[in-house]
């Protein structure tokens, strides 16, 4: 299958230069794909999709009555990240995660950053994900954000920007691991000589990160993954991770608090749990501490946690750094805590709660992307240039009614990658979600989840909104020229 | 093993077995009809023996072949239909994927996708024989994958026990179809027609060859003996009870022949009773009545398993009490 006729267009293309030549590092892959017989790539593409369906690698779509389960579409052409670029991304992410952890710890203790006038108190107090229950909390080893998924995008200028931080229950890592397996299974020959950095050390690193949190004196900690159950959109990932870690996948009803500890109900009585990788939001963790109507968590869990009898990853309250208004302060945070300049820049962000900036946003809704401070998954978002006047007017009203809850960013010219459309390639916009573990040290999984907006021209890459994914290749060294 | 996981393993195996047996059910009736060319088609007994008459009547006008097959095969509102069973098995499997090999999950998921495709294809209704054949094959395939890829730990034993208890129940129900089927005249009992019908029952339980090896000629009493009381044929109720009992004791570690909970007691009692029952007693008591009694006992065993292993105990004060110790002699 040939790339002849493939249009880079006015965008930054991840695979090709504007001259149409492959980028350094992508030559070998382009050659290999070009050498395939006509139809070969799309045949393998279909085989891969069938394999996904048979393996039940699906996600649930909320509000969809057509069975609700879909495969997360997968495009066979990998996205390549060069060795040098990756090294600088990795460095930037480590810096960011380090600062964010210091910030969260500060927010729930002395709040020096507020007292020193770097972040207004109002912003913290009004963040929906701020948990007053966590004031004074000392999580094991002083770590709050054990698992983070940070969304990166590349603008037309070729620079990588941090679009948002996901510090609560970021999902997608299972697709990173599965996509790689799928590529090896359906298209093994492309790996020859490609020097792609492996991703399969993630599960054992995750397990170590979790074991690192075990209460003192526990030799062989019992780790469990806590899931809301099969109707959750990320359920596949929960089962997958539990399986990869070799730990029990539990639901709230499997757990019981007694004697200050947390236990699992088993066929042979109760078994103690030491570390819980929870994939449910703070609100639902414990009806005694948070939302009383939650049936997903375990009553008494927070109490056991606060007494150090069980560990939770991520720590409750971590979401305060996930707020999109707080995000805008991350550059200042890095400077404040680390005395460093930010290595990976933020996307310029307008805060609607500041009157001047709000005026600017309202006057330029047709050029900006507006996001609710507390939503994720592509919900609660307005892409100004692609919206009609009615939608823009509606958002203007929402912003005026609750300015704290909205931020706006310029509409980026997201970079594109070639995807298979029938028997040819077309460019589609992408982002990248690397996964970062904070254990004894900070570890960044090489690559991460490349999400593609499969709809022509679309900028929304979320799986719930028609996004797909690609295998992400971080090269061990830049080979070829 | 988590109680919830044990429960899902048990039910996923039960549901697959149930789907297979519905296919066998339909097959036995189909066979009986084919061998009885001048008799009027009778599809009502299939619904009657499964005890779902009210459910059926509320949605279907009559007991036509098409209606009955739709109800038993594809109707998602009928929780015992093949499709509903396979969906339920898959839901259970999804919630315990970490305890299943990839091959089992993939096998079950493929089964599910195939059934949905068959249900959506109008050709399946016109010529459903292949479909029932596939259901049996897929079920056998899954059992084989489990045999070949699962450690013989608690999970396997819960699956095994669930499957065999389900099978014991369904074999008795297949025998019952013959009871409900009206012969052209009472004089037909013991005639060639009758013999043809009993062989159809044997064929539908995949028992014909094994039966012939053992008993050679087809006599009603011996067929009943083979399908209920045989200790070697894997679809015979007695065999199923023995094997389920062994798995139950493997789970608990209670020595064979003793009991420490309701499930062990009830299953042990029934197993012993069947072991010491002569087929003449079954006939004297009435086959249908005997089967009814057996089914009630099997339900009680199911309840016992639920209480002993799956029920989420409401009080944490039981924490230190061994769950098995709660039910003592």
């Amino acid at each position: 299958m040939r790339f002849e006729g493939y249009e880079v267009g006015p965008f930054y293309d991840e695979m090709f230069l504007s001259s149409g030549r492959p980028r350094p590092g992508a030559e070998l892959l382009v050659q290999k794909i070009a050498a395939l017989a006509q139809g070969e790539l799309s045949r393998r593409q279909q085989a891969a999709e069938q394999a996904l369906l048979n393996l039940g690698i699906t996600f649930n779509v909320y509000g969809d009555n057509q069975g609700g389960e879909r495969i997360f579409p997968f495009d066979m052409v990998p996205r390549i990240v060069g060795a040098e670029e990756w090294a600088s991304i990795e460095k930037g992410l480590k810096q960011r995660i380090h600062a964010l952890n210091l910030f969260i710890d500060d927010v729930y203790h002395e709040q020096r950053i507020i007292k020193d006038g770097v972040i207004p108190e109002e912003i913290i107090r009004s963040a929906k994900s701020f948990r007053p229950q966590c004031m004074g909390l000392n999580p094991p080893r002083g770590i709050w954000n054990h698992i983070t998924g940070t969304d990166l995008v590349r603008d037309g200028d070729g620079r990588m920007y941090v679009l948002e931080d996901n510090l609560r229950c970021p999902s997608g890592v299972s697709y990173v691991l599965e996509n790689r397996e799928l590529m090896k299974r359906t298209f093994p020959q492309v790996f020859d000589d490609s020097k792609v950095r492996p991703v399969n050390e993630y599960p054992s690193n995750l397990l170590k990160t979790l074991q690192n949190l075990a209460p003192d004196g526990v030799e062989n900690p019992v780790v469990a993954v806590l899931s809301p159950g099969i109707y959750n959109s990320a359920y596949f990932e929960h089962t997958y991770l539990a399986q990869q870690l070799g730990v029990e996948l539990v639901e709230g009803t499997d757990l019981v608090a007694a004697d200050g500890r947390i236990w699992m109900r088993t066929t042979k009585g109760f078994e103690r749990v030491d570390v819980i990788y929870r994939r449910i939001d703070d609100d639902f963790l414990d009806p005694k501490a948070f939302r009383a109507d939650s049936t997903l968590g375990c009553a008494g869990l927070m109490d056991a946690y606060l007494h150090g009898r069980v560990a939770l990853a991520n720590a409750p309250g971590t979401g305060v750094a996930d707020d999109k208004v707080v995000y805008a302060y991350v550059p200042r945070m890095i400077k404040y805590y680390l005395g460093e300049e930010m290595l990976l820049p933020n996307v310029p962000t307008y805060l609607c709660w500041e009157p001047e900036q709000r005026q600017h946003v309202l006057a330029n809704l047709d050029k900006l992307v507006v996001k609710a401070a507390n939503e994720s998954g592509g919900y609660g978002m307005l892409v100004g240039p692609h919206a009609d006047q009615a939608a823009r007017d509606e958002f203007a009203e929402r912003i005026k009614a609750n300015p704290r809850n909205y931020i706006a960013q310029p509409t980026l010219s997201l970079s594109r990658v070639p995807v298979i459309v029938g028997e040819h390639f077309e460019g589609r916009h992408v982002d990248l979600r690397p996964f970062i573990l904070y254990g004894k040290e900070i570890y960044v999984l090489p690559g991460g989840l490349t999400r593609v907006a499969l709809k022509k021209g679309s900028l929304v890459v979320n799986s719930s909104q028609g996004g797909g994914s690609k295998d992400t290749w971080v090269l061990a060294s830049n080979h070829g020229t | 093993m988590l109680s919830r996981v044990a429960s899902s393993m048990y039910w996923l195996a039960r549901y697959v077995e149930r789907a297979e047996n519905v296919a066998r059910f339909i097959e036995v009736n189909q066979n009986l009809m084919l061998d009885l060319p001048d008799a009027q088609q009778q599809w009502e007994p299939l619904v009657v023996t499964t005890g779902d008459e009210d459910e059926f009547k509320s949605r279907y006008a009559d007991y036509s072949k098409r209606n009955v097959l739709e109800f038993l095969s594809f109707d998602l509102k009928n929780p015992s239909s093949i499709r509903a069973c396979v969906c339920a098995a898959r839901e259970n499997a999804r919630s315990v994927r970490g305890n299943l090999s990839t091959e089992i999950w993939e096998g079950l998921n493929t089964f599910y996708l195939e059934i949905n495709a068959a249900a959506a294809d109008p050709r399946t209704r016109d010529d459903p024989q292949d479909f029932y054949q596939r259901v049996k094959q897929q079920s056998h395939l899954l059992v084989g994958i489990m045999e070949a890829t699962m450690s013989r730990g608690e999970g396997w034993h819960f699956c095994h026990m669930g499957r065999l208890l389900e099978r014991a129940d369904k074999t008795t129900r297949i025998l019952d179809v013959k009871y409900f089927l009206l012969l052209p005249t009472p004089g037909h009992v013991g005639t060639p027609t009758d013999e043809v019908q009993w062989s159809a029952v044997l064929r539908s339980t995949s028992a014909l060859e094994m039966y012939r090896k053992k008993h050679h000629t087809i006599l009603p009493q011996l067929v009943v003996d083979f399908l209920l009381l045989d200790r070697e044929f894997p679809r015979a109720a007695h065999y199923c009870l023995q094997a389920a009992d062994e798995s139950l004791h493997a789970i608990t570690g209670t020595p064979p022949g003793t009991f420490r909970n309701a499930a062990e007691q009830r299953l042990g009692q029934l197993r012993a009773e069947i072991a010491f029952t002569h087929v003449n007693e079954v006939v004297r008591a009435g086959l249908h009545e005997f089967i009814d009694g057996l089914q009630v006992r099997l339900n009680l065993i199911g309840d016992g398993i639920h209480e002993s292993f799956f029920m989420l105990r409401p009080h944490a004060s039981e924490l230190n009490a061994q769950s098995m110790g709660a039910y003592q002699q």
Side-chain angles (χ1 to χ4, degrees), chain A residues 53-56 69 230-231 235-236 243 248-249 251 254 258-259 263-270, chain B residues 1-4 6 90-91 94-95 97 100 105-106 109 113 154 251 312-313 316 319 322-324:
Chain A
L53 196 60
N54 287 348
L55 284 165
E69 272 177 59
I230 60 170
Y231 298 108
Y235 186 72
F236 162 73
Q243 202 167 9
E248 212 63 75
L249 177 70
E251 295 176 18
D254 297 325
D259 303 341
W263 310 80
M264 300 187 280
R265 301 169 203 265
T266 81
T267 53
K268 301 237 160 87
F270 290 88
Chain B
M1 169 166 278
L2 290 179
S3 300
R4 177 181 52 83
R90 180 174 176 273
E91 287 284 274
R94 275 187 78 198
S95 71
R97 272 191 66 171
L100 303 172
W105 165 250
E106 205 173 343
N109 200 43
L113 295 170
E154 254 185 88
I251 290 164
L312 298 172
R313 280 140 293 166
L319 200 60
Q322 276 298 307
S323 60
M324 299 299 135

Side-chain angles (χ1 to χ4, degrees), chain A residues 326-339:
Chain A
V326 174
Y327 156 89
Y329 287 90
V330 175
R332 280 170 260 187
M333 246 179 240
I334 290 178
K335 188 139 203 163
Y336 179 74
Y337 292 112
L338 306 177

